[in-house]
Amino acid sequence: MMMKSLLFLYCHKTSASDVEKDVAQYRQTYSTVVSENKNLFKPEKGQLFDEIIVGTDANPIHGPKPDLLAALAEISKPNGSLVLMYSKQSDVDQLRSAMRLSGFINVTDTHTDTVYTVVAHKPNYELGSSTQITLKKKTPQPASNGNKVWSLSVDDINDDDVELVDTDALLDEEDLMKPDPELLKSSCGPTKKRACKDCSCGLAEELEGKKAQAAPVKSSCGNCYLGDAFRCASCPYAGMPPFKPGEKVELSKQLLTSDLS
């Protein structure tokens, strides 16, 4: 008889006589056997088992909930095993994933015509355990002497040992030929300036050899030409000397000279 403890969780459909037969059979192998209905099972604090068996060949389970798998992981001893008798109609891939997420490792399964037997193991450590990791310390490298590495003396270079490249040897005969100016000209040629149909910028007059002239000045009141004494308060020509209609207003050099100079 193995000095190990076993937790046997059976399905609610399993009869009492079948449970007694299974427990009697397990007592021949394990020193301690605890049997409980899967749906009524509540783990006790500090209770640990070497092996946990859920379901039977005659009455396999139809999918334990994730909280049950998490509870089984807490009461399983390190290196302990979990055996699930699973119905073939259930999702075995989802079960394997749920068991790994609950903390079990080395999940394997075998199957018959009606039952999948999924076996997993608890890692060889308790949940929440910790250990100290010793990191290998790096050996400090001796500081290199930068002056010694990069120092370069005139005596270190012997001109006789240095082989220089003749730059003229890198040029071909075609490189030495003077290019033809005609070949350097652009093939498209210069573009001509053209004034638009309704040109108002003076380009049309410039192309015709004429200077753009300002439009003749027209006065709305008729007094702009007479001088400031006859002009309105908002006259744009205020401060300018009298001028004749159509005449370009020019200031004398005396007015352009600053009194402060």
Side-chain angles (χ1 to χ4, degrees):
M1 179 184 297
M2 300 174 59
M3 299 299 296
K4 290 184 177 181
S5 57
L6 169 68
L7 172 63
F8 171 49
L9 300 180
Y10 53 87
C11 178
H12 65 282
K13 295 181 180 181
T14 307
S15 62
S17 59
D18 291 339
V19 173
E20 291 178 0
K21 291 180 182 179
D22 293 332
V23 171
Q25 183 178 358
Y26 290 141
R27 288 188 186 278
Q28 298 176 4
T29 307
Y30 300 93
S31 59
T32 304
V33 177
V34 176
S35 62
E36 186 69 52
N37 188 320
K38 177 179 70 71
N39 298 331
L40 303 177
F41 172 72
K42 292 183 180 180
E44 297 181 4
K45 187 176 181 180
Q47 191 178 25
L48 298 177
F49 297 93
D50 295 292
E51 187 169 345
I52 302 174
I53 300 177
V54 183
T56 60
D57 292 336
N59 294 288
I61 61 175
H62 297 280
K65 296 181 180 180
D67 55 349
L68 175 61
L69 293 176
L72 297 179
E74 291 181 1
I75 63 176
S76 179
K77 292 182 179 180
N79 284 332
S81 60
L82 171 64
V83 180
L84 298 180
M85 303 293 184
Y86 214 62
S87 62
K88 190 174 182 180
Q89 292 80 12
S90 304
D91 191 351
V92 179
D93 294 333
Q94 185 177 358
L95 173 63
R96 286 196 293 261
S97 177
M99 294 176 72
R100 293 189 181 98
L101 293 175
S102 299
F104 292 97
I105 61 174
N106 302 329
V107 182
T108 59
D109 64 271
T110 58
H111 63 88
T112 61
D113 294 338
T114 57
V115 179
Y116 273 87
T117 302
V118 184
V119 181
H121 294 83
K122 178 78 174 291
N124 190 20
Y125 52 83
E126 289 289 352
L127 294 178
S129 59
S130 61
T131 183
Q132 185 177 1
I133 300 177
T134 303
L135 300 178
K136 184 179 180 181
K137 295 183 180 180
K138 293 184 178 180
T139 304
Q141 299 292 334
S144 59
N145 190 349
N147 296 331
K148 183 177 181 181
V149 173
W150 294 103
S151 61
L152 186 64
S153 174
V154 179
D155 299 333
D156 296 336
I157 301 178
N158 189 356
D159 293 341
D160 297 335
D161 298 336
V162 178
E163 184 177 354
L164 301 178
V165 178
D166 186 5
T167 56
D168 294 336
L170 302 176
L171 301 176
D172 299 333
E173 295 182 1
E174 297 179 357
D175 299 329
L176 300 176
M177 294 177 59
K178 185 177 180 179
D180 188 358
E182 296 296 331
L183 299 177
L184 300 178
K185 292 183 178 180
S186 176
S187 59
C188 60
T191 58
K192 272 190 175 183
K193 288 185 178 181
R194 294 184 181 181
C196 56
K197 185 177 181 181
D198 301 326
C199 179
S200 60
C201 64
L203 180 60
E205 291 82 356
E206 183 181 351
L207 294 177
E208 294 175 1
K210 300 179 181 180
K211 295 183 179 179
Q213 298 180 355
V217 178
K218 293 183 180 180
S219 176
S220 59
C221 63
N223 298 328
C224 299
Y225 319 111
L226 302 178
D228 287 344
F230 303 93
R231 290 170 181 160
C232 306
S234 60
C235 183
Y237 300 100
M240 294 184 179
F243 58 90
K244 295 180 181 180
E247 182 183 6
K248 184 178 180 181
V249 181
E250 295 181 356
L251 299 177
S252 63
K253 293 184 178 179
Q254 183 178 0
L255 294 175
L256 296 175
T257 304
S258 175
D259 297 336
L260 302 177
S261 60

